[in-house]
Amino acid sequence: MPDKISITLDVNGREHRVSVEPRRTLVDVLRDDCHLTGTHIGCEHGVCGACTILVDDKPIRSCLMFGVQAEGKKIRTVEGLADGDTLHPLQKAFWENHGLQCGFCTSGFLMLAAGALQETPDMSDEEIKEMLSSNLCRCTGYQNIIKAVRLAAVEMRSGARR
């Protein structure tokens, strides 16, 4: 077994000191060592998007990054979207517009959209569709996900939290 490396991760504004093998992916470190299980493991090849999180405010596939590479970076997972009991506009819009069914892909879609809307708050419908096409959902048919992101974008532009 390879030697472990002690690292400190900044996840959702909280420090997590963990010892990890250099070969472990960030998604595994988040789930197993930081006990943040909202980020899901899907294909483990960067294709499905279920493991999408924000690293330095950019959406990334956490199955394609090693945990040791994340030290010194600001990580945000789905657990960091809400402000206490107040849902993020995206979470609220997904709920109100039935943007989820089984929920497995939802955290990845939420984090993808949060990062994209933070960078480009005035996305057109075509840009929203293009952005969302990088994540896979087997249940919803995407229409309610698109509707939810569109609604959240409007709310976020009008001054709600990002």
Side-chain angles (χ1 to χ4, degrees):
M1 178 180 348
D3 292 334
K4 290 186 174 186
I5 297 174
S6 294
I7 60 173
T8 302
L9 298 178
D10 175 357
V11 186
N12 302 325
R14 185 171 159 240
E15 282 190 357
H16 293 265
R17 290 182 180 84
V18 295
S19 291
V20 299
E21 294 173 21
R23 66 182 178 89
R24 295 214 26 242
T25 61
L26 181 53
V27 68
D28 287 328
V29 172
L30 290 169
R31 292 179 60 80
D32 299 338
D33 299 295
C34 300
H35 309 290
L36 297 169
T37 57
T39 303
H40 293 154
I41 301 171
C43 67
E44 296 186 88
H45 296 285
V47 176
C48 73
C51 68
T52 303
I53 61 170
L54 301 182
V55 175
D56 291 336
D57 295 325
K58 304 282 185 217
I60 66 108
R61 310 286 206 221
S62 59
C63 72
L64 296 179
M65 184 176 200
F66 294 116
V68 295
Q69 292 175 297
E71 186 168 37
K73 301 187 182 311
K74 188 176 91 178
I75 301 165
R76 191 173 182 196
T77 68
V78 71
E79 291 91 346
L81 271 184
D83 184 10
D85 289 336
T86 303
L87 295 178
H88 184 280
L90 279 162
Q91 291 171 308
K92 184 178 175 199
F94 266 65
W95 178 29
E96 291 174 349
N97 291 280
H98 310 288
L100 58 109
Q101 285 182 15
C102 82
F104 189 81
C105 65
T106 305
S107 62
F109 274 109
L110 289 169
M111 299 314 294
L112 174 67
L117 290 174
Q118 186 172 316
E119 187 171 311
T120 310
D122 293 321
M123 294 179 90
S124 68
D125 279 358
E126 285 308 309
E127 290 171 316
I128 290 171
K129 289 176 188 176
E130 177 69 22
M131 176 261 303
L132 293 174
S133 73
S134 69
N135 281 28
L136 300 177
C137 174
R138 292 180 172 221
C139 300
T140 67
Y142 296 92
Q143 294 309 308
N144 288 340
I145 294 172
I146 295 166
K147 188 183 344 177
V149 172
R150 185 183 307 126
L151 179 68
V154 170
E155 187 174 339
M156 290 168 69
R157 282 193 303 268
S158 71
R161 261 178 21 90
R162 293 189 171 153

